[in-house]
Amino acid sequence: MRSFEDDPRLADLLSADQQARLGQLIGALGGGRVSLEEQHQAGAEPLEFNLETIGWLQGELPAERLDAAARLVEFVLLFVAKYRLAANLHNDTTEASFAELQRQHAALQASEARYKALSEQLQERVEDQVKVIEQAQQQLYETARLRAVGQLAAGVAHEINNPIGFITSNLRVAGDYLDELAEKVPGGHSASLLLDDFRALLRESLSGTQRIARIVADLKTFSNIDQADFIPCDLNALLTTSCHLLQAESQQAIDVRLDLAPLPKLAGYPAKLSQAFFNVLDNAAKAIDAEGVIRVGSRLAEDVIEVIIEDNGTGIPPDVQERIFDPFFTTRAVGSGTGLGLSVARDIMRAHRGEILLDSQVGAGTRVTLRFTCPNTP
Amino acid sequence: MAEYLDSERKLNLKVVYYGPALSGKTTNLMQLHTLLNPQRKGELMVLETRDDRTLFFDMLPIGLRSQEGLDLRLKLYTVPGQVQHDSTRKAVLSRADGVIFVADSQLSQQDNNATAFDNLADNLQKLGMDIESLPLVVQFNKRDLPDAIDEATLQARWAQTPWSPLSLASALNGEGVVESFRQLLRRLYPVLDREYQLAGRHGIDAEAFVRQLSAAHEAPHA
Ligand SMILES: Nc1nc2c(ncn2[C@@H]2O[C@H](COP(=O)(O)OP(=O)(O)OP(=O)(O)O)[C@@H](O)[C@H]2O)c(=O)[nH]1
Ligand SMILES: [Mg+2]
């Protein structure tokens, strides 16, 4: 049967065996051969169920008995049908309930997947926000630091310039006086030795003041923080300044070898570019020992300017390389560095539409390449 | 949904008695079985009950054969009213051509009536049927009981619905049962006529349709 309410056929209610057995029993009762048939036969009595003729009772019985026998079969069929209907209905509703359950299950799974995706999305957005905040924080920190250093440097430079000026001129005058003094002092071996020594002292002092003056000039470039707009920068000059500063800052002598090719001017913030160079140089200086060498080169290839800072120091292990641009990441002992160095350098490079590339091998050294594209190269 | 078999010129219809538990659906059907004398009437099947409460359904087949040769069958079903048999109710309700909602007139039963009517609307919707366009008669049964809500109140309450006027019955006494059925037949006919041209193609007009399907042995009260 298709649906519980579709009209059954005789075969739906009684199997062929059961039909034969029922026929036999009724035949035995009635005293003649009797059989249930699906097809109409001459002289057969119709078997009705639900106003439907679903079969025929065929038999060698008197009409009256055949009629009674047919009603008996219908009576039996009614109870068989009741059971069938109930069973089919039960089956229908069970299937419907199961289908409904499956539908609900699928809907539940779908909504679960939706929520999962949503939560992953949220997680991603939180991480993005954290990155943005970290970056802003880092920039803020850097700006404040640069400003403080710049102000200090500018103040120191200003204060030092005057005394350096009169020290220098006084030293020169002292030299002249010495010459005059030499003429007036009576000749003698020990006196002339003393005067030569004196002259040497003055010469050394003068070269010392010149060195101080140069450092002050470098400091002024380095702390050029109030520059709001891009101005044409001489990268080689900035590199040289940064190297001087590195050497001045270091306790030991550092072997820095410059190999600079002529470069076009690049639009940028000089103070920031110096900062980027200095940070990379500073890392290189910390990676090398007494025999170490830092090679600083610049070159122009088509419209790309490359600044290469290379050392033959300890190198950076691969796992550290992955994180070296993370803000606040440092491999050095706490206190010896903020860890901001390379991350700041990278940000500065980005601000100049440039990039920073790292190539390092443990035990062999590190090469940092700073690439700028300069659009206005002929 | 009615089912028409052109080869046999046979039209199968289904009417369902719906309503809360113990409102008298089975009683309605048993009375119809006794009272009706249509052209053709089959056995009343009371499928299975526990404490007189329907577990599956009851069914009474009736029919007529028009002079034009249309073999029209109408199966009357009751659903189990108890809340827990909802999936059975839905299965029996599916593809119904008309519904007689048997409500209990007793004051205490009004919540049950409302719940059952909501359930009818709900199941019709799940089965993709529209309660507004389905031929539907609302019968308030058990009018004989003392705490039955009075008729004027009930009629006024339902006046604004598409199912006004209500049908009133005392099924236990056989009163209003045939009338409710006739009212349903009158609401059912136009729908069938539109779909199957009962008058045009089969020579059955509204009057013949109602009269032949609801011919009664004797009017219980004129
Ligand atoms: N007083 C009174 N009792 C009635 C009337 N109609 C039915 N009853 C009684 O109400 C009880 C329930 O009747 P049923 O016809 O079995 O109710 P039902 O709606 O089929 O109930 P379910 O099968 O459980 O859904 C029976 O005891 C009936 O005798 C009526 O008009 N008046
Ligand atoms: Mg019942």
Side-chain angles (χ1 to χ4, degrees), chain B residues 19-28 52-54 58 79-82 141-145 169-173:
Chain B
L22 296 178
S23 66
K25 301 175 291 294
T26 301
T27 311
N28 260 272
D52 252 2
R53 312 178 80 169
T54 306
D58 312 306
V79 299
Q82 290 183 89
N141 187 30
K142 306 197 186 176
R143 300 306 302 160
D144 55 295
L145 291 179
S170 181
L172 194 60
N173 307 318

Side-chain angles (χ1 to χ4, degrees), chain B residues 28-44:
Chain B
N28 260 272
L29 208 63
M30 285 162 73
Q31 287 290 357
L32 278 182
H33 182 238
T34 316
L35 297 172
L36 283 188
N37 189 22
Q39 230 183 43
R40 313 183 65 197
K41 181 168 72 173
E43 291 289 335
L44 171 67

Side-chain angles (χ1 to χ4, degrees), chain B residues 159-221:
Chain B
Q160 298 308 315
T161 70
W163 308 292
S164 179
L166 300 172
S167 193
L168 299 172
S170 181
L172 194 60
N173 307 318
E175 289 165 21
V177 171
V178 176
E179 286 73 7
S180 301
F181 180 54
R182 285 191 181 136
Q183 198 180 354
L184 194 269
L185 291 176
R186 279 193 290 272
R187 291 183 187 173
L188 177 58
Y189 181 82
V191 178
L192 296 176
D193 188 42
R194 255 199 310 281
E195 179 86 30
Y196 304 104
Q197 294 86 44
L198 288 189
R201 281 183 62 198
H202 305 291
I204 305 176
D205 62 12
E207 200 269 325
F209 179 76
V210 174
R211 181 170 38 78
Q212 291 189 36
L213 282 174
S214 66
H217 283 294
E218 63 193 78
H221 59 146

